[in-house]
Amino acid sequence: MIIGITGVARCGKDTFYSLLNRYLEEKHIKTKRLAFADDLKLELNDFTKEKFKIDLLKCDGSDKELIRPLMVAYGKCRRMQTEGKYWTSLLDPKVLDLINNNIIPVVTDVRYIEYKDDEYSWLKSHSGVLIHLSRRLDDGSLVQPANIEEKSNDNKLK
């Protein structure tokens, strides 16, 4: 079994994972956080460090927002080249290893449902469960999608 977490950027997916992990640890159930974006960041990191002085493995806040369009475009190109299979193919062996070791993989960034074998379909092919998150701001409004791709896919994933 795999757990997938979806929702727009900055809605609390990793925070939710931390809480879920703590809860399941109390029940003696092991989990491990995985993300499609981790491999994306590894592939782009040398470029962003050289060209922008931004380390994708350590950045947050304004640096992350500055570089987000590049990450989205790069990820989209890789997905288009493979009809949505590029990032899932990188995560698949990690997921299978965890499952074989009785550890529940929790993928904290399931965001795409555009191709037949995209992230959502991949999750379902592994008997995965998808959790959709939204977050309200102090004024009561919801955190909005960071870009048009996110808006389109988030609506479908709900």
Side-chain angles (χ1 to χ4, degrees):
M1 178 219 265
I2 302 175
I3 298 172
I5 304 172
T6 188
V8 300
R10 315 288 300 159
C11 76
K13 295 180 293 293
D14 282 311
T15 300
F16 178 82
Y17 167 71
S18 296
L19 297 169
L20 176 66
N21 182 53
R22 191 176 320 144
Y23 173 79
L24 292 175
E25 276 182 344
E26 291 173 2
K27 310 259 183 247
H28 307 286
I29 299 170
K30 293 181 182 178
T31 69
K32 179 161 176 65
R33 178 205 167 276
L34 298 170
F36 298 111
D38 291 344
D39 286 314
L40 183 148
K41 290 174 184 177
L42 286 172
E43 287 190 18
L44 274 179
N45 200 41
D46 288 342
F47 176 78
T48 59
K49 284 196 304 191
E50 177 188 336
K51 301 296 183 186
F52 302 101
K53 308 293 186 250
I54 295 175
D55 185 338
L56 290 176
L57 306 179
K58 297 178 184 174
C59 77
D60 59 3
S62 62
D63 281 345
K64 190 170 186 178
E65 293 308 312
L66 176 68
I67 212 70
R68 185 183 305 279
L70 175 62
M71 294 190 314
V72 170
Y74 182 77
K76 183 177 181 175
C77 287
R78 288 294 203 183
R79 289 178 52 262
M80 287 173 68
Q81 289 177 319
T82 60
E83 295 184 345
K85 297 176 191 171
Y86 185 78
W87 303 112
T88 59
S89 71
L90 295 178
L91 213 58
D92 214 40
K94 299 170 193 174
V95 163
L96 295 175
D97 183 55
L98 291 172
I99 291 170
N100 288 336
N101 287 292
N102 294 314
I103 300 169
I104 298 173
V106 181
V107 182
T108 60
D109 64 347
V110 177
R111 294 188 187 217
Y112 290 97
I113 187 171
E114 293 177 339
Y115 294 101
K116 179 180 160 276
D117 295 317
D118 223 332
E119 296 169 4
Y120 175 78
S121 299
W122 172 84
L123 178 72
K124 289 299 181 181
S125 76
H126 287 290
S127 303
V129 174
L130 185 65
I131 299 168
H132 183 275
L133 299 180
S134 298
R135 180 169 67 98
R136 292 208 179 271
L137 299 170
D138 290 339
D139 67 4
S141 65
L142 290 174
V143 172
Q144 294 299 303
N147 52 57
I148 191 72
E149 289 88 6
E150 194 172 82
K151 182 177 182 178
S152 170
N153 283 281
D154 188 61
N155 284 333
K156 294 175 195 173
L157 288 164
K158 281 182 188 176

